[in-house]
Amino acid sequence: MKLGMEKIPHHWIEEIINLAGERIVVVDREGIILYINAAYCEFLGTTVEKAIGKPVQDVIENSRMHIVAKTGQKELAALQPINGSDMIANRYPLIIDGELVGAVGTVMFRNPEDWMEYKNKIQHLVEEVKYYKTKAEKDVKSKYYFSNLIGNSPSFTAVKKLAERVSSSQSAVLLLGESGTGKELFASAIHNNSTRASFPFVPINCASIPEHLLESELFGYDDGAFTGAKKGGKKGHFQRANRGTIFLDEIGDMPLAMQSKLLRVLQEREILPVGGQKSIAVDVRIIAATHRNLEKMVEEGTFRQDLYYRLNVIKIEIPPLRERNGDVELIAINLLEKLERKFYRKGIKLSTEVVERLNQHKWQGNIRELENVLERSINVLDGDTIELAHLPLYLRDYEAVIIPEKSNENESVNIADMPVQSLKETLAQVEKQAILNALSVTNGNKQEAARLLEIGKTRFYEKCKIHDIY
């Protein structure tokens, strides 16, 4: 059946072939060229008249068309050297009425440069798809288990056992601990060890979402709720976490107005999208975390007491790294294995001196600081052993900043050799050094540094400006 092909003039069909295939060749079962278009001949440095009727291997360098015409096996995106360049070709068996009668070949790209040009055009689209795919998977999938929580110190082991014991419960959990102690890892492990493990785990950083967007991010919004709202509305994080777990990190930074709305969700187990008229039932387990002192915030009136009691059903206090005797080396080795995969390295070790120095340090940034230190060290590492010289400056010069411990209350540190200057200048120097140390610990992350120093972001930026820290 021709399906209307008879209505298309013959010279039209040839032009259609030229436009669709750009460079095309057709051979019979013996590999004799029956058709080849002018564009292909121009590329080969011949003419249609000279090519027609000849064996394809005599016209096209390194051709496999005659082989495909015999085997009936297609060859797609095959590299084919021609005229000193590698073109990319497709070769198809030509089957008519169930019989193999020949083969058709097309040139996709004349050379690798053409392929790269095409790839560059679509690369940004591919990367965008990958980004959103990864983000979606990360948002709804919990990837850490209790086996990922490394440490044998008594304080850490006790906390880990408590978290495992309560993971099967449906009650709210409040994780307390300094920045970088692994609160999200604990939350993830609790979720994966619970009856909700097969449902979403949705982590939310309350401090990173602008206040005016927090309600719509958590509870979603209806169609036309505000100017610029997505048509058809949008689901909030609570809906996405339905039947699973929602992890509210940095809950201490949540504004009071939002605290009231969150309390209602915990009490009623339903949400009201922004601009919505009807409440939506949700079944989620709440795991909240903060590095702040919520009890003190309750006393100061910056955190709702009723919300605190709702969240504080099961309280788990994660110890800082400096209180986990013997765990630093274990964690460092585990982090090195992770970083080896990132840097495509193998067999990286820590020298004895480095292990000793890591054990001496107080780790204000905890595990996050330790990981930053190791990553920095690998970046400047030539061999396979991290030495003192590879550590950041503030760890290399550790002896210079150690303050001798007092043997009793009446003994004081000898400051006779220190230069005398005004109290204002002394405090300014100490403040600047504290900011620099915090920035070093957080790899330049000013928001994280402000948290370590327990001051607001605005105040932190003002102090950086005063001390010419950029």
Side-chain angles (χ1 to χ4, degrees):
M1 186 179 292
K2 295 182 180 179
L3 298 175
M5 285 291 289
E6 72 278 0
K7 295 183 179 180
I8 302 177
H10 182 271
H11 63 283
W12 283 28
I13 294 175
E14 185 171 3
E15 184 59 23
I16 290 168
I17 291 172
N18 288 335
L19 291 172
E22 188 177 357
R23 293 168 182 81
I24 186 168
V25 62
V26 181
V27 301
D28 63 13
R29 282 292 305 272
E30 305 305 320
I32 303 300
I33 296 176
L34 301 179
Y35 174 83
I36 185 168
N37 65 351
Y40 206 163
C41 287
E42 184 181 349
F43 174 60
L44 295 170
T46 186
T47 63
V48 174
E49 292 76 17
K50 289 180 180 178
I52 295 291
K54 288 187 177 180
V56 68
Q57 60 268 39
D58 292 346
V59 177
I60 302 174
E61 185 182 355
N62 299 310
S63 177
R64 289 178 51 85
M65 289 291 295
H66 54 299
I67 297 173
V68 173
K70 293 283 188 185
T71 64
Q73 300 295 315
K74 63 184 175 182
E75 298 178 356
L76 303 181
L79 281 174
Q80 182 175 334
I82 293 183
N83 298 336
S85 181
D86 289 325
M87 72 174 192
I88 300 173
N90 285 333
R91 307 180 188 103
Y92 303 92
L94 188 59
I95 299 173
I96 304 297
D97 296 329
E99 181 185 354
L100 178 64
V101 297
V104 179
T106 63
V107 175
M108 293 174 60
F109 303 103
R110 290 173 295 174
N111 50 53
E113 287 73 25
D114 282 0
W115 160 239
M116 287 305 297
E117 183 180 350
Y118 173 77
K119 182 181 177 183
N120 290 336
K121 287 180 181 178
I122 66 169
Q123 187 63 32
H124 70 284
L125 296 175
V126 174
E127 289 174 355
E128 189 173 348
V129 169
K130 284 182 180 178
Y131 168 78
Y132 285 112
K133 181 182 176 184
T134 303
K135 187 175 187 296
E137 289 174 349
K138 180 181 178 183
D139 285 348
V140 299
K141 194 173 181 182
S142 174
K143 59 182 179 180
Y144 297 109
Y145 298 81
F146 281 109
S147 59
N148 298 120
L149 303 179
I150 308 300
N152 293 328
S153 61
S155 59
F156 185 76
T157 302
V159 168
K160 186 175 173 180
K161 284 182 179 177
L162 173 61
E164 285 185 88
R165 193 159 58 246
V166 304
S167 58
S168 58
S169 167
Q170 301 300 314
S171 300
V173 177
L174 180 60
L175 299 173
L176 302 176
E178 296 177 5
S179 180
T181 50
K183 296 186 287 294
E184 183 169 347
L185 271 68
F186 265 87
S188 180
I190 290 171
H191 170 80
N192 270 332
N193 203 47
S194 73
T195 55
R196 298 176 179 265
S198 57
F199 297 102
F201 173 78
V202 181
I204 309 297
N205 189 314
C206 300
S208 67
I209 303 174
E211 185 174 343
H212 66 283
L213 294 178
L214 191 55
E215 183 176 3
S216 61
E217 285 291 311
L218 291 181
F219 308 138
Y221 57 79
D222 276 2
D223 189 7
F226 49 83
T227 303
K230 183 181 177 182
K231 188 175 181 180
K234 178 186 173 184
K235 285 185 178 181
H237 293 309
F238 270 86
Q239 280 178 274
R240 291 172 54 238
N242 192 39
R243 301 182 71 185
T245 304
I246 191 164
F247 173 53
L248 299 175
D249 198 9
E250 302 299 350
I251 190 72
D253 292 304
M254 181 175 282
L256 273 170
M258 274 304 301
Q259 292 178 28
S260 301
K261 293 175 181 179
L262 177 61
L263 179 64
R264 180 183 178 278
V265 174
L266 296 180
Q267 291 173 333
E268 307 297 331
R269 293 193 170 275
E270 59 183 26
I271 60 168
L272 181 65
V274 175
Q277 303 298 319
K278 184 180 178 182
S279 295
I280 301 171
V282 289
D283 172 23
V284 295
R285 183 185 191 181
I286 303 285
I287 300 180
T290 184
H291 70 285
R292 296 181 178 274
N293 186 334
L294 291 186
E295 292 182 1
K296 185 179 179 182
M297 292 180 69
V298 168
E299 292 174 6
E300 295 170 347
T302 54
F303 198 86
R304 290 185 63 106
Q305 186 177 49
D306 42 8
L307 177 59
Y308 173 68
Y309 289 133
R310 281 278 179 180
L311 296 173
N312 191 28
V313 178
I314 301 171
K315 181 165 69 174
I316 297 176
E317 297 187 51
I318 304 172
L321 192 52
R322 61 182 171 275
E323 294 178 8
R324 296 171 54 180
N325 295 330
D327 282 353
V328 173
E329 185 176 2
L330 280 175
I331 296 170
I333 292 170
N334 181 263
L335 290 173
L336 280 179
E337 291 175 0
K338 169 185 170 183
L339 291 168
E340 281 179 341
R341 292 190 293 271
K342 179 178 178 179
F343 287 92
Y344 303 102
R345 301 279 297 268
K346 281 187 177 180
I348 298 177
K349 302 184 291 293
L350 301 171
S351 71
T352 305
E353 293 78 13
V354 166
V355 172
E356 184 179 347
R357 185 61 49 86
L358 296 182
N359 284 325
Q360 289 174 342
H361 188 55
K362 297 303 180 184
W363 300 110
Q364 289 179 305
N366 294 290
I367 298 169
R368 188 178 294 120
E369 180 189 357
L370 176 58
E371 184 171 3
N372 287 342
V373 165
L374 294 173
E375 183 170 345
R376 188 265 183 199
S377 301
I378 293 174
N379 272 294
V380 297
L381 182 63
D382 293 325
D384 59 3
T385 302
I386 297 176
E387 305 285 355
L388 287 177
H390 301 125
L391 297 178
L393 187 61
Y394 74 96
L395 276 173
R396 274 182 276 163
D397 295 342
Y398 191 75
E399 295 93 343
V401 296
I402 292 178
I403 299 175
E405 295 183 2
K406 298 179 183 180
S407 57
N408 57 63
E409 293 184 1
N410 296 322
E411 186 180 347
S412 61
V413 178
N414 184 4
I415 58 170
D417 296 329
M418 293 179 60
V420 177
Q421 53 188 358
S422 70
L423 182 60
K424 183 178 179 181
E425 289 175 328
T426 302
L427 292 174
Q429 285 185 8
V430 171
E431 184 175 78
K432 181 176 182 178
Q433 190 58 49
I435 293 172
L436 290 172
N437 286 347
L439 287 171
S440 178
V441 165
T442 61
N443 264 8
N445 186 323
K446 291 187 176 181
Q447 184 174 334
E448 200 65 40
R451 285 185 197 153
L452 285 180
L453 296 172
E454 297 185 3
I455 61 175
K457 288 184 289 184
T458 303
R459 190 175 167 206
F460 181 83
Y461 280 101
E462 288 173 352
K463 290 188 176 294
C464 286
K465 188 174 181 181
I466 291 170
H467 296 299
D468 293 324
I469 299 172
Y470 300 104

